[in-house]
């Protein structure tokens, strides 16, 4: 039905030929149409095309409730929110109903009374799909009243009986009737609430303060959980576990390229400053590689995981340090360097949990991971024999000083003095800008140091590379 020409009453809705379907049928129908049209169904989700997404689609085609299992920062929440795109753009509801009742088959007492007296003249409203989504982070202090509902004392005072469903103040789940409701960290829900949730899913009734109210809600329930919590005994009541039709395991980006795509997509952007920032590809690779090494580190708690947010925040941090330098030195282009990596401590440490509790180890661990990442990326770009010409010149007593506060022009001087270095830095980035050159020089020097071809020492805030 065309916009502006939408039915306003139940009578008009019936006359339009509208036929209501359940949410599962609606999502299935829309998903199949999108697949047929070869549309991107989950835009912005990177690296799940062959793993998670086919399973999500199968679950929706099957009409199953879904639980996503995964460590922190695996795009679970985003995936859940994108499922809204599978709903119709607008859906008719009885106007004024607290639980979005279907005008052709209302379930709440208020609507049934209304339709009984007003018939086809009962007014309807059109609900946009964004309003058919609800979510809640499970915490131990959530109550039945929050999630399912409570008896409304004002209505009781008005003289209604407790068993009368008109005395109910509906909770979050009934208010998302005919929509998608997501519970994050399901195992943190109390057992009492898990039972309540199960009754709602299985028996279509809610029990409030001893009263059973039949409420055949039409909701797709989605949940997320950390795999460790979900599988550990006693955290989830078995019948509830059985009730979720699809259990889908999410994962971190498998490749460094996917990690970089997400970093680029998610980093915070600012408009309005005249400063250009350019991040060479090898610097992005180092940030992504570092996270990948962290996900394999036995010193880091892998049950809680290393979120993609670590990569994103570290990426932002090195860019910011480059911006700070450019502004301080009056340079036009901000280009992150190896020496900027010292600053990612602040954007990493709060986001990972160590296996042991010694503060001093955190810095050392990050330093080791950074070295591993730089070495791995460097060795993908360079083979040492190609660098012999440069190394030879250090043999005769040459040394180079670098730091995150040194102007780019001092690096340009190095490139002129060291024979062969110009050619070598061109191998990673062919930009002629001094700021880019400075970054490439540090990359080469650090790579040679990590390959044990140059010594590195710290002196009064500066780093000195020599034989
Ligand atoms: Zn209603």
């Amino acid at each position: 039905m065309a916009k502006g020409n939408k039915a306003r009453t139940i009578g008009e809705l019936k006359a339009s030929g509208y036929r209501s379907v359940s949410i599962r049928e609606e999502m299935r129908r829309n998903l199949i149409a999108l697949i047929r049209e070869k549309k991107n169904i989950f835009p912005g989700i990177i690296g799940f095309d062959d793993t998670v997404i086919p399973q999500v689609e199968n679950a929706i085609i099957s009409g199953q409730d879904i639980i996503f299992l995964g460590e922190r920062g695996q795009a679970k929440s985003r995936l859940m929110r994108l499922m809204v795109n599978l709903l119709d753009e607008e859906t008719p509801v009885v106007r004024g109903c607290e639980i979005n009742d279907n005008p052709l088959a209302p379930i709440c007492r208020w609507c049934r009374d209304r339709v009984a007296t007003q018939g086809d003249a009962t007014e309807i409203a059109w609900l946009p799909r964004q309003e058919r989504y609800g979510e809640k982070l499970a915490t131990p202090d959530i109550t039945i009243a929050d999630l399912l509902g409570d008896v409304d004392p004002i209505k009781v005072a008005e003289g209604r009986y407790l068993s009368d469903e008109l005395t109910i103040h509906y909770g979050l789940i009934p208010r998302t009737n005919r929509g998608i409701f997501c519970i994050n960290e399901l195992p943190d829900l109390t057992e009492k609430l898990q039972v309540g949730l199960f009754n709602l899913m299985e028996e279509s009734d809610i029990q409030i303060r001893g009263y059973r109210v039949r409420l055949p809600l039409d909701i797709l329930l989605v949940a997320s959980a950390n795999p460790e919590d979900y599988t550990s005994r006693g955290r989830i009541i078995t019948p509830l576990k059985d009730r979720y039709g699809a259990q889908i395991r999410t994962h971190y980006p498998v490749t460094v390229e996917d990690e970089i795509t997400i970093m680029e997509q998610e980093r915070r952007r600012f408009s309005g400053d005249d400063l250009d920032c350019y991040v060479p590809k090898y610097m992005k690779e180092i940030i992504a590689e570092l996270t990948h090494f962290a996900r394999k580190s036995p010193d880091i708690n892998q049950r809680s995981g290393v979120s993609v947010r670590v990569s994103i925040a570290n990426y932002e941090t090195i860019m910011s340090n480059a911006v700070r330098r450019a502004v301080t030195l009056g340079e036009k282009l901000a280009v992150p360097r190896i020496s900027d990596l010292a600053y990612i401590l602040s954007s990493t440490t709060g986001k990972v949990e160590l296996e042991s509790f010694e503060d001093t180890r955190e810095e050392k661990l990050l330093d080791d991971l950074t070295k591993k990442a730089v070495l791995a990326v460097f060795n993908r770009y360079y083979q040492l024999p190609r660098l012999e010409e440069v190394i030879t010149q250090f043999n005769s007593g040459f040394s180079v000083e670098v730091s995150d506060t040194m102007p780019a022009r001092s690096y340009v001087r190095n490139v002129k003095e060291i024979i062969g270095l110009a050619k070598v830095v061109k191998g990673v980035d062919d930009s002629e800008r001094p700021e880019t050159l400075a970054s490439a020089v540090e990359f080469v020097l650090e790579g040679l140091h990590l390959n044990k071809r140059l010594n590195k020492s710290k002196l009064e805030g500066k780093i000195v590379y020599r034989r």
Side-chain angles (χ1 to χ4, degrees):
M1 185 170 285
K3 269 198 162 65
N5 196 22
K6 286 179 294 204
R8 285 159 303 168
T9 62
I10 289 184
E12 287 178 22
L13 188 66
K14 284 180 186 162
S16 75
Y18 176 82
R19 205 179 60 85
S20 63
V21 294
S22 71
I23 183 161
R24 284 156 219 272
E25 275 186 66
E26 174 186 343
M27 291 178 75
R28 181 182 201 272
R29 177 195 65 203
N30 293 340
L31 173 63
I32 287 171
L34 288 168
I35 294 173
R36 195 171 276 144
E37 292 163 29
K38 307 210 180 330
K39 288 271 167 63
N40 183 3
I41 295 158
F42 297 99
I45 297 286
I46 311 294
F48 281 180
D49 291 353
D50 303 319
T51 51
V52 176
I53 288 175
Q55 297 182 66
V56 175
E57 293 180 353
N58 286 349
I60 291 165
I61 293 172
S62 308
Q64 293 164 343
D65 295 309
I66 303 170
I67 174 141
F68 289 105
L69 298 187
E71 288 79 16
R72 64 170 111 181
Q74 293 184 346
K76 296 188 294 292
S77 295
R78 174 176 292 218
L79 203 53
M80 282 155 48
R81 286 170 200 156
L82 283 170
M83 288 168 68
V84 171
N85 292 338
L86 299 174
L87 299 172
D88 291 345
E89 272 182 53
E90 289 183 308
T91 300
V93 297
V94 175
R95 184 180 287 274
C97 174
E98 288 179 340
I99 59 167
N100 309 323
D101 258 331
N102 177 357
L104 305 184
I107 56 170
C108 88
R109 176 73 179 273
W110 185 84
C111 287
R112 281 186 281 125
D113 287 353
R114 212 172 170 82
V115 172
T117 53
Q118 301 185 359
D120 279 357
T122 308
E123 281 190 302
I124 64 169
W126 291 82
L127 197 65
R129 62 181 167 201
Q130 291 76 16
E131 289 175 31
R132 295 170 65 199
Y133 175 85
E135 66 176 24
K136 187 76 184 162
L137 175 66
T139 55
D141 61 340
I142 299 182
T143 60
I144 294 264
D146 296 329
L147 225 48
L148 301 177
D150 201 358
V151 172
D152 187 336
I154 297 170
K155 289 176 182 170
V156 175
E158 283 168 355
R160 297 199 179 270
Y161 295 107
L162 273 180
S163 57
D164 181 344
E165 58 175 280
L166 282 177
T167 61
I168 294 173
H169 179 80
Y170 292 109
L172 281 168
I173 293 181
R175 285 174 188 276
T176 316
N177 185 28
R178 299 174 72 214
I180 303 168
F181 193 84
C182 302
I183 300 172
N184 291 308
E185 306 305 334
L186 183 68
D188 289 341
L189 219 54
T190 60
E191 191 173 320
K192 197 175 162 197
L193 257 171
Q194 292 185 28
V195 171
L197 193 63
F198 172 75
N199 284 337
L200 181 67
M201 288 165 93
E202 196 63 29
E203 321 276 350
S204 288
D205 62 28
I206 58 178
Q207 299 187 22
I208 300 169
R209 300 196 185 190
Y211 294 97
R212 272 182 73 156
V213 178
R214 213 180 130 64
L215 209 58
L217 299 172
D218 183 22
I219 292 179
L220 185 84
L221 275 168
V222 182
S224 75
N226 186 297
E228 187 92 349
D229 293 343
Y230 192 70
T231 49
S232 72
R233 234 177 118 88
R235 295 292 300 268
I236 296 275
I237 59 165
T238 310
L240 184 60
K241 222 178 212 173
D242 288 345
R243 188 60 179 70
Y244 279 94
Q247 179 177 309
I248 299 173
R249 185 73 165 91
T250 58
H251 57 81
Y252 288 123
V254 175
T255 64
V256 165
E257 286 68 37
D258 281 346
E259 191 90 23
I260 291 173
T261 307
I262 298 171
M263 281 155 48
E264 290 284 13
Q265 177 179 284
E266 302 299 320
R267 76 175 173 86
R268 185 168 287 134
R269 286 176 160 76
F270 299 92
S271 57
D273 46 62
D274 51 2
L275 246 158
D276 280 337
C277 188
Y278 169 74
V279 185
K281 186 151 184 290
Y282 55 86
M283 288 304 291
K284 296 178 192 174
E285 288 172 359
I286 289 167
I287 294 293
E289 194 79 64
L290 193 157
T291 303
H292 282 228
F293 278 119
R295 287 180 190 139
K296 290 180 217 139
S297 167
D299 296 317
I300 291 173
N301 182 333
Q302 302 299 339
R303 293 175 298 286
S304 70
V306 181
S307 166
V308 182
R309 285 187 281 273
V310 171
S311 304
I312 299 162
N314 286 346
Y315 187 40
E316 291 170 343
T317 301
I318 60 163
M319 287 174 87
S320 300
N321 207 53
V323 165
R324 204 162 56 85
R325 166 175 54 247
V327 175
T328 308
L329 300 174
E331 294 179 344
K332 281 277 170 285
L333 186 65
V335 184
R337 311 171 176 167
I338 296 295
S339 50
D340 295 327
L341 291 170
Y343 292 85
I344 62 174
L345 186 68
S346 64
S347 40
T348 308
T349 47
K351 298 180 189 65
V352 294
E353 279 169 39
L354 295 199
E355 284 291 4
S356 71
F357 296 99
E358 295 160 55
D359 286 349
T360 47
R361 285 192 57 239
E362 217 162 15
E363 211 168 327
K364 168 83 169 68
L365 175 64
L366 184 60
D367 195 45
D368 289 347
L369 290 171
T370 308
K371 283 180 184 157
K372 278 172 94 172
V374 175
L375 183 62
V377 174
F378 181 82
N379 289 346
R380 282 205 294 265
Y381 279 90
Y382 289 111
Q383 283 151 345
L384 285 182
R386 273 178 60 201
L387 300 165
E388 287 304 335
E389 191 181 16
V390 172
I391 299 164
T392 310
Q393 291 167 76
F394 282 88
N395 289 341
S396 48
F398 208 91
S399 72
V400 174
E401 281 184 359
V402 305
S403 90
D404 76 290
T405 54
M406 257 161 70
R409 61 174 183 280
S410 84
Y411 292 79
V412 176
R413 209 159 45 233
N414 297 145
V415 174
K416 283 182 184 144
E417 283 168 1
I418 303 172
I419 301 159
L421 187 56
K423 199 177 73 199
V424 167
V425 296
K426 259 195 173 348
V428 284
D429 203 301
D430 58 3
S431 163
E432 299 281 337
R433 302 283 295 259
E435 297 89 345
T436 312
L437 212 61
S439 174
V441 168
E442 280 202 21
F443 181 47
V444 169
L445 293 175
E446 182 69 9
L448 288 175
H449 163 63
L450 294 173
N451 276 295
K452 301 188 167 51
R453 302 304 299 269
L454 287 182
N455 280 307
K456 179 185 183 183
S457 52
K458 281 180 186 148
L459 194 75
E460 290 164 1
K462 285 180 180 163
I463 294 155
V464 184
Y465 292 100
R466 60 158 67 93
R467 271 305 281 223

PDB file of all heavy atoms in Angstrom, residues 132-152:
ATOM      1  N   ARG A 132      10.667  -2.221  16.329  1.00  0.00           N
ATOM      2  CA  ARG A 132      10.280  -3.607  16.633  1.00  0.00           C
ATOM      3  C   ARG A 132      11.476  -4.405  17.115  1.00  0.00           C
ATOM      4  O   ARG A 132      11.567  -5.607  16.923  1.00  0.00           O
ATOM      5  CB  ARG A 132       9.650  -4.256  15.395  1.00  0.00           C
ATOM      6  CG  ARG A 132       8.335  -3.586  15.005  1.00  0.00           C
ATOM      7  CD  ARG A 132       7.863  -4.086  13.660  1.00  0.00           C
ATOM      8  NE  ARG A 132       7.533  -5.507  13.697  1.00  0.00           N
ATOM      9  CZ  ARG A 132       7.448  -6.263  12.606  1.00  0.00           C
ATOM     10  NH1 ARG A 132       7.671  -5.753  11.409  1.00  0.00           N
ATOM     11  NH2 ARG A 132       7.147  -7.534  12.714  1.00  0.00           N
ATOM     12  N   TYR A 133      12.428  -3.707  17.727  1.00  0.00           N
ATOM     13  CA  TYR A 133      13.630  -4.366  18.207  1.00  0.00           C
ATOM     14  C   TYR A 133      13.891  -3.952  19.643  1.00  0.00           C
ATOM     15  O   TYR A 133      13.804  -2.772  19.977  1.00  0.00           O
ATOM     16  CB  TYR A 133      14.814  -3.959  17.329  1.00  0.00           C
ATOM     17  CG  TYR A 133      16.143  -4.492  17.790  1.00  0.00           C
ATOM     18  CD1 TYR A 133      16.551  -5.774  17.418  1.00  0.00           C
ATOM     19  CD2 TYR A 133      16.974  -3.741  18.611  1.00  0.00           C
ATOM     20  CE1 TYR A 133      17.759  -6.278  17.862  1.00  0.00           C
ATOM     21  CE2 TYR A 133      18.184  -4.239  19.046  1.00  0.00           C
ATOM     22  CZ  TYR A 133      18.570  -5.509  18.666  1.00  0.00           C
ATOM     23  OH  TYR A 133      19.758  -6.016  19.094  1.00  0.00           O
ATOM     24  N   GLY A 134      14.171  -4.911  20.495  1.00  0.00           N
ATOM     25  CA  GLY A 134      14.513  -4.589  21.877  1.00  0.00           C
ATOM     26  C   GLY A 134      15.716  -5.402  22.290  1.00  0.00           C
ATOM     27  O   GLY A 134      15.921  -6.516  21.793  1.00  0.00           O
ATOM     28  N   GLU A 135      16.545  -4.835  23.166  1.00  0.00           N
ATOM     29  CA  GLU A 135      17.646  -5.636  23.676  1.00  0.00           C
ATOM     30  C   GLU A 135      17.937  -5.276  25.112  1.00  0.00           C
ATOM     31  O   GLU A 135      17.612  -4.182  25.577  1.00  0.00           O
ATOM     32  CB  GLU A 135      18.911  -5.486  22.808  1.00  0.00           C
ATOM     33  CG  GLU A 135      19.532  -4.124  22.813  1.00  0.00           C
ATOM     34  CD  GLU A 135      20.847  -4.065  22.017  1.00  0.00           C
ATOM     35  OE1 GLU A 135      21.064  -4.895  21.125  1.00  0.00           O
ATOM     36  OE2 GLU A 135      21.640  -3.165  22.320  1.00  0.00           O
ATOM     37  N   LYS A 136      18.549  -6.221  25.803  1.00  0.00           N
ATOM     38  CA  LYS A 136      18.856  -5.999  27.214  1.00  0.00           C
ATOM     39  C   LYS A 136      20.107  -6.783  27.561  1.00  0.00           C
ATOM     40  O   LYS A 136      20.252  -7.934  27.171  1.00  0.00           O
ATOM     41  CB  LYS A 136      17.664  -6.487  28.058  1.00  0.00           C
ATOM     42  CG  LYS A 136      17.773  -6.178  29.529  1.00  0.00           C
ATOM     43  CD  LYS A 136      17.475  -4.720  29.830  1.00  0.00           C
ATOM     44  CE  LYS A 136      17.685  -4.419  31.310  1.00  0.00           C
ATOM     45  NZ  LYS A 136      17.815  -2.978  31.559  1.00  0.00           N
ATOM     46  N   LEU A 137      20.991  -6.111  28.272  1.00  0.00           N
ATOM     47  CA  LEU A 137      22.171  -6.795  28.787  1.00  0.00           C
ATOM     48  C   LEU A 137      21.771  -7.495  30.080  1.00  0.00           C
ATOM     49  O   LEU A 137      21.265  -6.855  30.997  1.00  0.00           O
ATOM     50  CB  LEU A 137      23.288  -5.774  29.052  1.00  0.00           C
ATOM     51  CG  LEU A 137      24.555  -6.296  29.716  1.00  0.00           C
ATOM     52  CD1 LEU A 137      25.300  -7.270  28.804  1.00  0.00           C
ATOM     53  CD2 LEU A 137      25.462  -5.151  30.127  1.00  0.00           C
ATOM     54  N   ALA A 138      21.953  -8.805  30.108  1.00  0.00           N
ATOM     55  CA  ALA A 138      21.569  -9.545  31.307  1.00  0.00           C
ATOM     56  C   ALA A 138      22.535  -9.226  32.444  1.00  0.00           C
ATOM     57  O   ALA A 138      23.733  -9.340  32.285  1.00  0.00           O
ATOM     58  CB  ALA A 138      21.577 -11.050  31.027  1.00  0.00           C
ATOM     59  N   THR A 139      21.980  -8.801  33.543  1.00  0.00           N
ATOM     60  CA  THR A 139      22.786  -8.595  34.747  1.00  0.00           C
ATOM     61  C   THR A 139      22.018  -9.244  35.887  1.00  0.00           C
ATOM     62  O   THR A 139      20.803  -9.448  35.775  1.00  0.00           O
ATOM     63  CB  THR A 139      22.981  -7.091  35.052  1.00  0.00           C
ATOM     64  OG1 THR A 139      21.695  -6.482  35.135  1.00  0.00           O
ATOM     65  CG2 THR A 139      23.791  -6.389  33.976  1.00  0.00           C
ATOM     66  N   PRO A 140      22.716  -9.576  36.964  1.00  0.00           N
ATOM     67  CA  PRO A 140      22.015 -10.292  38.053  1.00  0.00           C
ATOM     68  C   PRO A 140      20.881  -9.473  38.686  1.00  0.00           C
ATOM     69  O   PRO A 140      20.013 -10.032  39.330  1.00  0.00           O
ATOM     70  CB  PRO A 140      23.128 -10.542  39.076  1.00  0.00           C
ATOM     71  CG  PRO A 140      24.400 -10.430  38.302  1.00  0.00           C
ATOM     72  CD  PRO A 140      24.154  -9.441  37.211  1.00  0.00           C
ATOM     73  N   ASP A 141      20.859  -8.166  38.484  1.00  0.00           N
ATOM     74  CA  ASP A 141      19.812  -7.373  39.151  1.00  0.00           C
ATOM     75  C   ASP A 141      18.559  -7.140  38.298  1.00  0.00           C
ATOM     76  O   ASP A 141      17.642  -6.450  38.725  1.00  0.00           O
ATOM     77  CB  ASP A 141      20.384  -6.039  39.666  1.00  0.00           C
ATOM     78  CG  ASP A 141      20.922  -5.169  38.541  1.00  0.00           C
ATOM     79  OD1 ASP A 141      21.198  -5.724  37.448  1.00  0.00           O
ATOM     80  OD2 ASP A 141      21.077  -3.954  38.742  1.00  0.00           O
ATOM     81  N   ILE A 142      18.515  -7.744  37.099  1.00  0.00           N
ATOM     82  CA  ILE A 142      17.281  -7.624  36.313  1.00  0.00           C
ATOM     83  C   ILE A 142      16.188  -8.464  36.966  1.00  0.00           C
ATOM     84  O   ILE A 142      16.443  -9.568  37.441  1.00  0.00           O
ATOM     85  CB  ILE A 142      17.474  -8.138  34.872  1.00  0.00           C
ATOM     86  CG1 ILE A 142      18.551  -7.329  34.166  1.00  0.00           C
ATOM     87  CG2 ILE A 142      16.179  -8.025  34.070  1.00  0.00           C
ATOM     88  CD1 ILE A 142      18.724  -7.765  32.741  1.00  0.00           C
ATOM     89  N   THR A 143      14.987  -7.927  36.971  1.00  0.00           N
ATOM     90  CA  THR A 143      13.893  -8.633  37.639  1.00  0.00           C
ATOM     91  C   THR A 143      12.851  -9.096  36.623  1.00  0.00           C
ATOM     92  O   THR A 143      12.875  -8.699  35.458  1.00  0.00           O
ATOM     93  CB  THR A 143      13.180  -7.691  38.626  1.00  0.00           C
ATOM     94  OG1 THR A 143      12.674  -6.578  37.858  1.00  0.00           O
ATOM     95  CG2 THR A 143      14.134  -7.176  39.687  1.00  0.00           C
ATOM     96  N   ILE A 144      11.957  -9.944  37.099  1.00  0.00           N
ATOM     97  CA  ILE A 144      10.811 -10.393  36.306  1.00  0.00           C
ATOM     98  C   ILE A 144      10.039  -9.169  35.812  1.00  0.00           C
ATOM     99  O   ILE A 144       9.579  -9.097  34.683  1.00  0.00           O
ATOM    100  CB  ILE A 144       9.872 -11.281  37.166  1.00  0.00           C
ATOM    101  CG1 ILE A 144      10.570 -12.581  37.558  1.00  0.00           C
ATOM    102  CG2 ILE A 144       8.536 -11.524  36.469  1.00  0.00           C
ATOM    103  CD1 ILE A 144      10.303 -13.770  36.692  1.00  0.00           C
ATOM    104  N   ALA A 145       9.912  -8.167  36.713  1.00  0.00           N
ATOM    105  CA  ALA A 145       9.161  -6.952  36.371  1.00  0.00           C
ATOM    106  C   ALA A 145       9.795  -6.251  35.168  1.00  0.00           C
ATOM    107  O   ALA A 145       9.091  -5.793  34.270  1.00  0.00           O
ATOM    108  CB  ALA A 145       9.127  -6.009  37.566  1.00  0.00           C
ATOM    109  N   ASP A 146      11.123  -6.162  35.138  1.00  0.00           N
ATOM    110  CA  ASP A 146      11.815  -5.510  34.021  1.00  0.00           C
ATOM    111  C   ASP A 146      11.531  -6.240  32.716  1.00  0.00           C
ATOM    112  O   ASP A 146      11.206  -5.638  31.706  1.00  0.00           O
ATOM    113  CB  ASP A 146      13.342  -5.528  34.213  1.00  0.00           C
ATOM    114  CG  ASP A 146      13.793  -4.725  35.417  1.00  0.00           C
ATOM    115  OD1 ASP A 146      13.116  -3.734  35.734  1.00  0.00           O
ATOM    116  OD2 ASP A 146      14.816  -5.103  36.026  1.00  0.00           O
ATOM    117  N   LEU A 147      11.704  -7.543  32.775  1.00  0.00           N
ATOM    118  CA  LEU A 147      11.704  -8.317  31.541  1.00  0.00           C
ATOM    119  C   LEU A 147      10.300  -8.746  31.120  1.00  0.00           C
ATOM    120  O   LEU A 147       9.937  -8.659  29.957  1.00  0.00           O
ATOM    121  CB  LEU A 147      12.601  -9.545  31.737  1.00  0.00           C
ATOM    122  CG  LEU A 147      13.576  -9.881  30.612  1.00  0.00           C
ATOM    123  CD1 LEU A 147      14.341  -8.660  30.151  1.00  0.00           C
ATOM    124  CD2 LEU A 147      14.532 -10.969  31.057  1.00  0.00           C
ATOM    125  N   LEU A 148       9.516  -9.224  32.054  1.00  0.00           N
ATOM    126  CA  LEU A 148       8.202  -9.761  31.689  1.00  0.00           C
ATOM    127  C   LEU A 148       7.055  -8.834  32.085  1.00  0.00           C
ATOM    128  O   LEU A 148       6.178  -8.550  31.284  1.00  0.00           O
ATOM    129  CB  LEU A 148       8.002 -11.140  32.337  1.00  0.00           C
ATOM    130  CG  LEU A 148       9.040 -12.207  31.955  1.00  0.00           C
ATOM    131  CD1 LEU A 148       8.774 -13.496  32.713  1.00  0.00           C
ATOM    132  CD2 LEU A 148       9.030 -12.465  30.448  1.00  0.00           C
ATOM    133  N   GLY A 149       7.081  -8.374  33.318  1.00  0.00           N
ATOM    134  CA  GLY A 149       6.013  -7.469  33.730  1.00  0.00           C
ATOM    135  C   GLY A 149       5.748  -7.544  35.216  1.00  0.00           C
ATOM    136  O   GLY A 149       6.335  -8.350  35.930  1.00  0.00           O
ATOM    137  N   ASP A 150       4.864  -6.675  35.666  1.00  0.00           N
ATOM    138  CA  ASP A 150       4.525  -6.648  37.076  1.00  0.00           C
ATOM    139  C   ASP A 150       3.069  -6.212  37.199  1.00  0.00           C
ATOM    140  O   ASP A 150       2.482  -5.713  36.250  1.00  0.00           O
ATOM    141  CB  ASP A 150       5.437  -5.654  37.811  1.00  0.00           C
ATOM    142  CG  ASP A 150       5.484  -5.944  39.308  1.00  0.00           C
ATOM    143  OD1 ASP A 150       4.789  -6.889  39.761  1.00  0.00           O
ATOM    144  OD2 ASP A 150       6.214  -5.237  40.011  1.00  0.00           O
ATOM    145  N   VAL A 151       2.545  -6.406  38.399  1.00  0.00           N
ATOM    146  CA  VAL A 151       1.193  -5.920  38.651  1.00  0.00           C
ATOM    147  C   VAL A 151       1.279  -4.425  38.896  1.00  0.00           C
ATOM    148  O   VAL A 151       2.143  -3.960  39.623  1.00  0.00           O
ATOM    149  CB  VAL A 151       0.596  -6.653  39.882  1.00  0.00           C
ATOM    150  CG1 VAL A 151      -0.721  -6.035  40.286  1.00  0.00           C
ATOM    151  CG2 VAL A 151       0.449  -8.128  39.564  1.00  0.00           C
ATOM    152  N   ASP A 152       0.405  -3.673  38.238  1.00  0.00           N
ATOM    153  CA  ASP A 152       0.430  -2.221  38.369  1.00  0.00           C
ATOM    154  C   ASP A 152      -0.414  -1.800  39.577  1.00  0.00           C
ATOM    155  O   ASP A 152      -1.636  -1.937  39.561  1.00  0.00           O
ATOM    156  CB  ASP A 152      -0.131  -1.595  37.079  1.00  0.00           C
ATOM    157  CG  ASP A 152       0.017  -0.090  37.078  1.00  0.00           C
ATOM    158  OD1 ASP A 152       0.113   0.497  38.175  1.00  0.00           O
ATOM    159  OD2 ASP A 152       0.017   0.490  35.975  1.00  0.00           O
TER     160      ASP A 152
END
